[in-house]
Amino acid sequence: MKILDVSAGNRAVWFDKHHSMATFLDIRPEVEPDIVADSRNLGTFTDGSFDLAVFDPPHVNFGKNAEMSKTYGWHTTVEIRDILERTAIELSRVVRPDGLLALKWNDHDQKLTTVLALMPSWEPLFGHQVSIRTKHASTTSWVLLRNRREV
């Protein structure tokens, strides 16, 4: 099995942060990914190269000077939607037909249904809410999606 994590960051979701089946990609060189690249352009990979992708995109427009922006980067809502749409297209290409995508999403700014609508090449199979925040009402979910691309 070949796995592509397109938002690796500090690999917080991984038990084995150097898993031999995974290729870790991030746009930020300071987090030391295997490959420094923008998930919206995966041109270095051939079609159907991976069986599974992991995607934990930016969720919230914190504001340019917020502490969270210093850690995760600052993204406008428009840019977040662009990242979602264009990365979903690229992932559909590089993940084999019927391959899988594990998506982590926090709905603080945009609801999960809105996000899934931005990713029509992926069929949501099932998911689970894993945390609910009350201070700033939001829910974090993991969703498993199937690549609808045909051979």
Side-chain angles (χ1 to χ4, degrees):
M1 172 176 280
K2 290 182 69 178
I3 305 166
L4 177 62
D5 184 337
V6 294
S7 49
N10 65 3
R11 304 175 192 190
V13 302
W14 288 86
F15 292 108
D16 178 352
K17 296 184 186 317
H18 301 281
H19 199 286
S20 62
M21 290 185 217
T23 300
F24 298 98
L25 182 142
D26 202 290
I27 197 168
R28 300 165 298 159
E30 65 271 17
V31 298
E32 300 180 2
D34 297 329
I35 298 172
V36 176
D38 189 325
S39 61
R40 294 170 283 191
N41 182 359
L42 301 174
T44 59
F45 300 114
T46 58
D47 295 4
S49 301
F50 296 93
D51 303 297
L52 168 67
V54 180
F55 190 26
D56 181 6
H59 311 320
V60 180
N61 176 358
F62 294 108
K64 195 170 193 173
N65 298 314
E67 286 300 314
M68 292 294 276
S69 295
K70 293 174 187 171
T71 303
Y72 296 106
W74 178 66
H75 303 280
T76 66
T77 300
V78 170
E79 185 179 16
I80 290 170
R81 287 184 178 191
D82 182 66
I83 291 168
L84 288 162
E85 287 180 306
R86 291 177 49 204
T87 299
I89 291 167
E90 280 291 272
L91 287 175
S92 182
R93 182 184 64 77
V94 302
V95 173
R96 67 174 170 76
D98 284 334
L100 300 172
L101 170 60
L103 172 70
K104 180 182 171 205
W105 186 252
N106 179 281
D107 66 2
H108 184 272
D109 279 353
Q110 301 176 67
K111 296 297 175 199
L112 179 60
T113 52
T114 301
V115 169
L116 295 175
L118 295 171
M119 305 170 66
S121 55
W122 292 93
E123 173 192 13
L125 298 174
F126 57 87
H128 188 271
Q129 294 178 345
V130 292
S131 74
I132 299 172
R133 295 180 60 202
T134 54
K135 183 177 179 184
H136 303 285
S138 67
T139 302
T140 299
S141 299
W142 277 95
V143 180
L144 191 68
L145 302 102
R146 180 188 70 87
N147 192 353
R148 294 180 180 182
R149 183 171 65 90
E150 296 184 18
V151 183

